[in-house]
Every structure is written in C-alpha cells, then in structure tokens.
C-alpha cells in the first residue's frame, strides 16, 4: 500500500517485508566496500540508497587516498602515517583504530587497483602519490612526505565507480532510490533491520536483516556554506539518535580551507600539494607566518583558521575583503591540466576564472564530520552504559563518515577519509561475514517495535498544518553557520542553543503539503530535516560542552588545549541532550602509543 | 555574470514539464515567474530550487551541485545538460527557459526519468575489469602511456545526457548500446590490465550494438564532461573491422 494523501497511519501490518543476510544503508565508498565483501562471500546483501549509488558523495572526493604504499618513497612506513594521523587528530584519535587503518591500508588500496581503479601512474608504472597536508617522513623529522594515491583529481569518482562495478559483478542487490527512515529495534536493544520506502512508488517496507550497516555519510548540510552534496543530511546519525544510541565527538567539524568563494564547492588540497599556495590582498604568502615549516600544507584546521584571521584582520581579498586567493598560475598549464583537470573545470564554472591565468577566490567551507556513530575497528556500533563502559549494539554496524571509529579525532588529514571508508567498510563486511558463518540469532521485533520505527514517517504523512520545511531548514543552517562555525565562543553558542530548541519545536510540527506517493521529493526532504536537527543539536550541545580548543574546535573563550580534562571523546545522547566523556584509546597493538605533544606545523 | 547583468533581467519565465501519472492528468507545461538575485549568474539548478520553494511538488533529482554525480541531467531549452553547471547566461533565450525531462526515456514524474534502459545497457558491456591472471602482491603495473589511454573514457558520470540525445538510442534502446555504455566498453577494452578484449569485442559484433551509431555526434555536443563517445565508438568499430579482415 503506497503512501498517499488518503492513507491512514501506517502500522506493522501494512508493510511489505523483505529479508536479507545483510543490509547496507548508503551506497557511497564505505557502504559499497562492506556490501562487496558480503556479496562476494555469497550472502544475500542489499544496498539501500536514497540515490543511485554513483550519485553518492564519495564521487566528489578529489585528491586521493593517503596510504603508505611505498610508491613515491620505497622507505615510506605506515607507522609514520600513523604518527601524522595521531598528531593531526590533536591526540583524540583512537590509536588502535589508526594503527589498524594505516597498517591494513595498502592491502585495501591494491585490492582496489586490482578491481580496476584507474590510478594515475609514476614513470615506473606504479600508483602515483602526491603530497598532502600534515604528511611527514620519520615521525615528523624527515620533512614533507608524498603519500596520497591519486587518480588525477577525480579519485573519489574513480573509486566509487570501480566499487559500483565490482558490486555489479558480485551480484549485490541494489535498492536504489529507497529512503531508509528508522532503525527497527527489538526488546533486547538489538537492531533487526530498517523501515524504508521505495521513493518511486511510495511503497513502505520493513527490511529485515541479521546485520545492518549504516554508511550514510556526512551531514554538512547543517551549515549554510558547505562542500557537501545536498543529500548529506546525516540520515544514519538521526536514526541512531532516535533509537536511543549515542554519537561521539560531534563538535568536530572540518572546515576545508579552499571552498570556492560564494559557492562552497571544493578545490582539492592537492592544489597545494602540487605547489599552489594561498595569498592575501597584499599578495603575501601568509601561511609562512602561521606554519613556518609546513606552510600551505599544514593541517586543515590550522590553514582554515589562519585564513579566517587574515580576513578578520582586514587582509582579505575582493571588494568586501572576505576571501583569499589560491594561486596556481605559477605552476604552468602542463601541471594544472594534467594533475588538476577537474579543478580547472570547477574554477571556470563557479569562480569564472581559469586557474592557469588567475588565482581562485577561496574561503573555508564546511567539509567533513570527524564525529559520528561510535564503533570499534570491526564497525560494530557502541553505546555507553551508565557506568561509562562500552557495549556493542548487536546487529548494528557503521562505517565511513557516518561512523566515528575514531581515526580522525579532532581533525582529519587530507586523503584519510577515502582510506577510512575503504578500510573500515571492508572490516565491517569481514566481521559480518564471520558472524553470519558462525550464525547470528537476534530475537524478533514485535509489531510494537516496528510501529515505534514508523512514528516519524506517520507524523510527516498525516500533518495537516504547520511549518514549511524549506524555511525551517534555512533557519537551522543559518543558526549553525553563525554560532557554531570556525571560531566559537560560549555566549554565541548559548544563544545558538536556545534558537535550536525553537527550531526543533518547529521541526516537530512540519507540514508536508504534497502527500502524493510517486517520487515525492518533498517527503524525502521533510524526513531529512528531522535528521538534520538531530545532528545540529548533537553538534551544538557537544561544542558548548567541550571547554577547550582542540583540532577543529576553536573557542575564543577557551583558547588552550586542556589535556587534563578533555583528552577525551565526547558522547551525546539525544534523550537527555547531555554530554559524557569516553576514554581515548592509547593502546595500539604493535607500536608504542604516541603521547600528546604541542601540535605545531 | 555579465550577460545577465547587462540585460538587467531580474525575473525569469520558467516553463517546466509536469507529470504525475497518479494524478490522472495528462502531462502539461507549468509556467512560473521567478525573481533571481541581481548581478549573479546562478545555475539552472538554483532556479529549480527556487521554483520548488514556490511549489514543493516540483520533482527533479539533484545531489552534488558541481557536475560530478550526474543526477540532474535534463533538457534545457532543447539541449540536454546538467542543471547544476549550466549557468542561466548560457541557457536563457530572452528571459525564458524551458525545462523538460531527458528525451526518450519513460517519465516517472516531472523531470525524473526511468533510467532502467540506460543502466541495463551499461550492465551489458560488463563494466568491470576482467583479469584472470594471478594478482601481484602490489599494483598491476601500467605505464603512464597505457594509463593515458583511459583519459576521456573513465570520467563518465552516467548522467544519461548523451544516450538520450541519440536518435539511434531512441529507436533501439534495447539493442543499440548507446554512447554512454559504448564509452565504458571502450574504457575496458583500452585498459592494459584487462584480459578479456576478444570476448568484449565478440559481444559487440552484431548489426545493432555498435553499428547503429551513425556518427551524428549529438552525444559529443551535449556531454557535460566534454567527453567524446563518438570517437570511442569509432575505435571499437575499427577494432571490429580489423579483426574481421
């Protein structure tokens, strides 16, 4: 029975049921890596994606996959990569996870190459690697490393298409253009599937599964200016919070230094890796002042803050002095066209400049959520008991940007997101595969359990008066941009929190005017707004609570890092709207832990 | 930017194709007048988003907003393109713009077409690397020159603009593979790491799959990524002919 204007409330008896061994919500890099692992092993696997998989936001990743594959440098070492990542995280990345990612990375990268990913090549025919921010040799002592494996400046596109193709070969079931609404949780707090509807028909389903992977990506659309696709609305995060499970480190949002001014579209850090640099209105290469050693290749939080300081102190470019320039024209057409062809296109389209001749106007743009759904290295979702111990949520996994396994901590290094999603998408798939082989028994969901997961959908469907979705969304985005941006301060955040409570009230009272069943994008956008508000509040509460400056979280009223109190993850539950702390892992298995030091570049 | 500013257009007449089969109504063109910000050259997708604020029932696909995901292929004033990277200054005729779904495919609703035929043709060419040799521990080596052969082929975003601009595809969407799928076929035929070239060519050797292309190059003129499917198709034809001699 499709949803339409005449439909009464949905309940468990009105849903069609489909059953799988494993379902993956989200068709980006991490989701397709997990589904590939399962489908290749012969398990009945479905990818539930609100867009056709190659439309997922992984496709926009430009620069590459950072990984010590020893192509550019035969002496490169995954431990150096680990050191950089721990330092980049401002020491709240979990060291067991970072160790796993850096060590397992090369295997995953070569697997992708064998699948056909069209990496750029070196003269010796090996995978091409370029320099990226925050990369060093010999634990920070050996100078800039070149560790980011690239397919020109279209690595995400090449990666996503390769994975989609491999999944076709493996026989994965694609439920393309299906929208997952909420998790179905049984009486034992286990997850046994999701409620979803086929967007084309409006037909609602209970998708039953022994294992559910949330690979729903980022939520940059909580901000006004973002590099994120319009689909990045934190759907998995919303689902987890509504199901009563927590999220971690949600205050940690990366603002990427080089968003195209006025639009937010990204130009890759690879521009600076290839020799580009930033200048202010005086033509000064200002990063030399802020990061004497790494200059324009300091980590992203450092570069974004330096840019904002230049602008705030009156040295910005343009009539309103509100951006800076990224200079590439000195590199010559050969490098720009060969290594950065996509950037040339984007720059011409959105900034109306040819980077071979003119610098690109840029400003920091919201780019990436370091925080997310807490997991262990196997992708198993964790919740926190009242005494502070970690508990595994049975049946539920998360991977990629939606998850927080925490390899990025307070700040992600460029090229580590693609590595994160291939390594942990794969490890979630492997864990589920083994669990399925051993036999998974979860107790059944009752009709009441299923009805619980239909509450939001029903609310939207039967609304007859109330707030306009687009208006409320715009208010939410403006509030986050103004009060929870690159620089934060207690007063503004308090104000922002009050405003967010009002906005939440409005989201609980939205009116879906178009109740039609067929490809109703208005219904999808209304449900996305209910996810955005969960992410925004988690971000706001956690940001206000973390009373220090660390990584991407920079407070004017607490300018120093406070290791004594805040060398911790923040954990946020939606029902209490309170933040607790969780220990950071300092127990890697094969190397000594890296202890916190002053972080300079 | 200048084109719009100099004409000082502040309001656009948008005519948009509307169809919801569940409504019982025939397809119709809806006319909307939309005020646009002055001095900015916004994209067609921005205009559509503004239209949707007036009438939330208007349906179209969109995601990345930067021409990489391939969601928003549509027919803009008679020419296929991506809404998100087509500036109004380029698309407008006077102050009018007409938006229709990609031609030739069944319409699900408004600007949203059913891509099944398109994807089915893509699947037919086995769009994945086939390599039955034992894999090395590291990467399979490929020279810079071998890798360059993939440039202009692997960048396809599957938006469907090319195949739905092709009369041969309109006539035989089930038997002619269409420019997008053939570009992909050539991508794998050209890959030095692929060991199934002969099988791939075998599969293409009939009167329809490739040879229904008559080289009118609509695909080339509409490709938003500047790719050249006709050239790829000609390369395949040459390989097939050479093999037969």
């Amino acid at each position: 029975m499709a949803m339409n204007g005449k439909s009464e409330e949905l309940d468990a008896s009105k849903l069609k049921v489909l059953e799988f061994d494993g379902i993956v919500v989200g068709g980006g890099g991490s989701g397709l890596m997990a589904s590939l692992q399962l489908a290749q092993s012969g398990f009945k696997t479905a990818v539930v994606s609100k867009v056709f998989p190659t439309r997922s936001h992984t496709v926009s990743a430009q620069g590459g996959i950072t990984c010590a594959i020893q192509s550019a440098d035969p002496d490169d070492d995954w431990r150096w990569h680990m050191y950089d990542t721990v330092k980049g995280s401002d020491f709240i990345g979990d060291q067991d996870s970072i160790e796993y990612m850096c060590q397992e990375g090369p295997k995953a990268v070569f697997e992708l190459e064998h699948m056909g990913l069209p990496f750029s090549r070196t003269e010796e025919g090996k995978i091409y690697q370029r320099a990226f921010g925050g990369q060093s040799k010999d634990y920070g002592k050996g100078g800039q490393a070149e560790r980011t494996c690239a397919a020109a400046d279209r690595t995400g596109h090449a990666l996503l298409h390769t994975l989609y193709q491999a999944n076709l070969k493996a026989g994965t079931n694609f439920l393309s253009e299906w929208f997952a609404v909420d998790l179905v949780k049984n009486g034992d707090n286990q997850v046994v599937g999701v409620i979803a509807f086929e967007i084309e028909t409006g037909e609602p389903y209970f998708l039953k599964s022994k294992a559910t992977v949330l690979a729903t990506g980022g939520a940059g659309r909580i901000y006004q200016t973002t590099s994120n696709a319009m689909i990045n609305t934190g759907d998995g995060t919303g689902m987890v919070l509504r199901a009563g499970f927590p999220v971690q480190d949600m205050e940690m949002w990366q603002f990427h230094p080089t968003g195209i001014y006025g639009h937010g579209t990204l130009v890759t850090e690879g521009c600076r890796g290839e020799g580009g640099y930033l200048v202010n209105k005086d033509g000064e290469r200002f990063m030399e002042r802020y990061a004497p050693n790494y200059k324009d290749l300091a980590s992203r939080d450092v570069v974004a803050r330096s840019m904002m300081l230049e602008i705030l102190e009156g040295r910005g470019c343009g009539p309103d002095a509100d951006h800076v320039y990224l200079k590439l024209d000195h590199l010559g057409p050969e490098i720009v066209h060969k290594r950065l062809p996509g950037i040339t296109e984007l720059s011409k389209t959105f900034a109306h400049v040819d980077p071979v001749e003119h610098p690109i106007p840029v400003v920091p743009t919201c780019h990436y959520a370091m925080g997310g759904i807490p997991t262990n290295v196997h992708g198993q979702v964790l919740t926190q008991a009242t005494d502070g111990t970690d508990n595994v949520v049975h049946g539920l996994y998360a991977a990629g940007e939606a998850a927080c396994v925490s390899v990025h901590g307070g700040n992600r290094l460029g090229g580590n997101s693609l590595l994160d999603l291939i390594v942990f998408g794969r490890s979630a798939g492997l864990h589920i595969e083994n669990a399925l082989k051993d036999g998974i028994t979860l107790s059944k969901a009752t009709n009441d359990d299923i009805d619980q997961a239909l509450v939001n959908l029903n609310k939207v469907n039967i609304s007859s008066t109330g707030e306009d979705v687009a208006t409320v969304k715009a208010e939410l985005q403006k509030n986050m941009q103004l009060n929870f941006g690159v620089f934060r301060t207690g007063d503004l955040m308090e104000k922002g929190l009050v405003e967010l409570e009002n906005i939440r009230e409005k989201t609980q009272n939205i009116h879906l005017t178009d109740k039609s069943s067929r490809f109703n994008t208005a219904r999808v956008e209304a449900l996305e707004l209910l996810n955005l508000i969960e992410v925004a509040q988690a971000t706001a509460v956690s940001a206000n609570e973390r009373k220090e400056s660390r990584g991407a979280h920079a407070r004017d009223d607490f300018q120093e890092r406070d290791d004594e109190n805040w060398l911790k993850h923040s954990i946020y539950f939606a029902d209490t709207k309170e933040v607790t702390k969780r220990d950071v892992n300092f127990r890697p298995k094969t190397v000594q832990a890296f202890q916190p030091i002053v972080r300079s570049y | 930017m200048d084109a719009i500013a100099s004409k000082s257009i502040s309001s656009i007449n948008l005519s948009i194709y509307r169809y919801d089969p569940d409504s019982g109504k025939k397809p119709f063109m809806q006319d909307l007048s939309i005020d646009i910000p002055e001095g900015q050259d916004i994209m067609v997708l921005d205009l559509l988003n503004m239209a949707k604020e007036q009438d939330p029932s208007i349906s179209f696909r969109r995601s990345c907003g930067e021409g990489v995901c391939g969601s928003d292929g549509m027919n803009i004033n008679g020419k296929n393109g991506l809404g998100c990277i087509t500036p109004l200054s380029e698309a407008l005729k006077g102050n009018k713009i007409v938006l229709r779904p990609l031609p030739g495919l069944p319409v699900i609703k408004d600007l949203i077409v059913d891509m099944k035929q398109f994807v089915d043709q893509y699947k037919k060419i086995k769009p994945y690397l086939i390599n039955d040799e034992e894999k090395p521990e590291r990467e399979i080596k490929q020279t810079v020159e071998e890798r360059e052969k993939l440039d202009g082929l692997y960048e396809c975003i599957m938006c469907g603009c090319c195949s739905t601009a092709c009369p041969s595809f309109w006539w035989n969407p089930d038997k002619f593979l269409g420019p997008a799928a053939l570009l992909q076929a050539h991508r794998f035929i050209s890959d030095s790491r692929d060991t199934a070239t002969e099988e791939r060519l075998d599969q293409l050797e009939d009167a329809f799959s490739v040879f229904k292309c008559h080289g009118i190059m609509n695909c080339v003129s509409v490709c938003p990524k500047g790719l050249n499917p006709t050239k790829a198709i000609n390369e395949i034809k040459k390989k097939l002919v050479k093999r037969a001699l």
Side-chain angles (χ1 to χ4, degrees), chain A residues 488-497 544 555-558:
Chain A
R488 297 163 175 180
T489 187
D491 297 347
L492 279 179
M493 287 196 284
E494 293 285 353
K495 195 175 129 248
L497 278 164
N544 193 40
R555 288 185 66 143
D556 289 337
D557 48 353
F558 295 93

Side-chain angles (χ1 to χ4, degrees), chain B residues 3-4 7-15 31-36 47 77 88-99:
Chain B
I4 295 227
K7 283 187 228 158
S8 65
I9 291 170
S10 57
S11 153
I12 305 277
N13 290 334
L14 168 66
S15 177
D31 293 314
L32 291 163
S33 172
I34 295 169
D35 295 332
I36 57 163
L47 187 74
N77 273 347
L88 283 190
S89 59
E90 223 172 74
L92 280 180
K93 284 182 183 157
N95 72 336
K96 184 159 184 180
I97 186 163
V98 181
L99 299 180

Side-chain angles (χ1 to χ4, degrees), chain A residues 448-513:
Chain A
D448 281 351
D449 295 332
I450 296 167
D451 290 348
Q452 189 58 39
L454 286 164
V455 168
N456 257 354
L457 185 57
N458 277 326
K459 191 155 59 184
V460 167
N461 281 344
I462 62 172
S463 64
S464 57
T465 92
E467 303 286 339
D468 172 58
V469 173
T471 310
V472 178
K473 182 157 65 179
E475 277 177 44
L476 182 152
Q477 291 168 331
K478 191 175 169 197
N479 181 50
M480 293 307 291
Q481 190 80 23
L482 285 177
N483 300 317
F484 302 92
V486 175
F487 288 109
R488 297 163 175 180
T489 187
D491 297 347
L492 279 179
M493 287 196 284
E494 293 285 353
K495 195 175 129 248
L497 278 164
V498 173
E499 183 57 25
L500 266 184
E501 266 309 318
N502 294 331
I503 294 170
R504 172 178 283 273
E505 281 296 311
K506 291 181 185 172
T507 62
Q508 299 309 300
N509 188 31
I510 46 175
H511 179 207
L512 176 68
T513 49

Side-chain angles (χ1 to χ4, degrees), chain A residues 148-171:
Chain A
T148 301
C149 310
D153 57 357
R154 304 188 179 96
T155 316
H157 170 278
L159 169 69
L160 188 62
H161 282 251
T162 301
L163 279 174
Y164 174 64
Q165 293 161 353
N167 272 278
L168 285 180
K169 192 177 179 185

Side-chain angles (χ1 to χ4, degrees), chain A residues 372-450:
Chain A
I373 305 158
T375 71
N376 59 24
V377 292
H378 308 297
Q380 292 178 290
V381 169
L382 302 173
T383 185
Q384 198 179 43
T386 40
D387 65 357
T389 53
D390 291 344
N391 285 331
V392 164
V393 178
H394 291 286
L396 188 62
Y397 294 74
E401 190 173 344
C404 182
V405 57
S406 179
V407 284
H408 310 304
N411 170 68
R412 175 173 72 74
L413 293 186
N416 267 356
S417 60
L418 292 187
L419 185 65
D420 170 5
L421 60 82
I422 60 173
V423 167
F424 292 106
R426 183 167 169 269
S427 79
L430 280 168
H431 192 272
I432 296 168
E433 184 187 334
N434 289 328
L436 284 167
K437 282 177 186 158
D438 294 343
I440 297 176
T441 43
L442 302 172
S443 50
K444 277 175 89 167
T446 63
N447 281 353
D448 281 351
D449 295 332
I450 296 167

Side-chain angles (χ1 to χ4, degrees), chain A residues 196-231:
Chain A
F197 62 89
E198 185 180 25
I199 299 173
E200 182 180 335
T201 58
E203 185 76 47
Y205 285 79
F206 172 26
L207 303 178
K208 261 172 101 167
S209 179
K210 293 176 189 135
T212 302
V213 184
L214 293 174
T216 49
R221 287 280 153 178
I222 62 168
Y223 288 95
Q224 239 173 358
T225 302
T226 175
S227 64
N228 282 198
M230 290 159 226
I231 55 170

Side-chain angles (χ1 to χ4, degrees), chain B residues 24-112:
Chain B
K25 282 191 249 169
K26 285 184 180 162
F28 64 98
M29 298 303 291
Q30 179 185 14
D31 293 314
L32 291 163
S33 172
I34 295 169
D35 295 332
I36 57 163
E38 271 179 51
Q40 275 182 45
D41 192 7
I42 61 168
M43 302 291 165
V44 170
L45 179 62
D46 299 323
L47 187 74
L48 265 174
N49 282 326
M50 291 177 198
K52 196 173 170 69
E53 280 175 27
Q54 279 188 28
D55 181 350
S57 72
I58 295 174
S59 303
F60 51 91
R61 294 186 175 107
R62 84 285 180 274
S63 179
C64 75
E66 57 185 36
V68 187
C69 79
S71 297
D72 61 345
M74 60 187 75
N75 188 270
I76 305 165
N77 273 347
K79 190 176 175 187
N80 290 353
L82 296 180
C84 63
I85 54 169
T86 304
L88 283 190
S89 59
E90 223 172 74
L92 280 180
K93 284 182 183 157
N95 72 336
K96 184 159 184 180
I97 186 163
V98 181
L99 299 180
R100 293 173 179 273
L102 290 174
L105 293 176
V107 175
I108 294 173
K109 187 184 182 185
D110 299 345
L111 299 185
I112 296 168

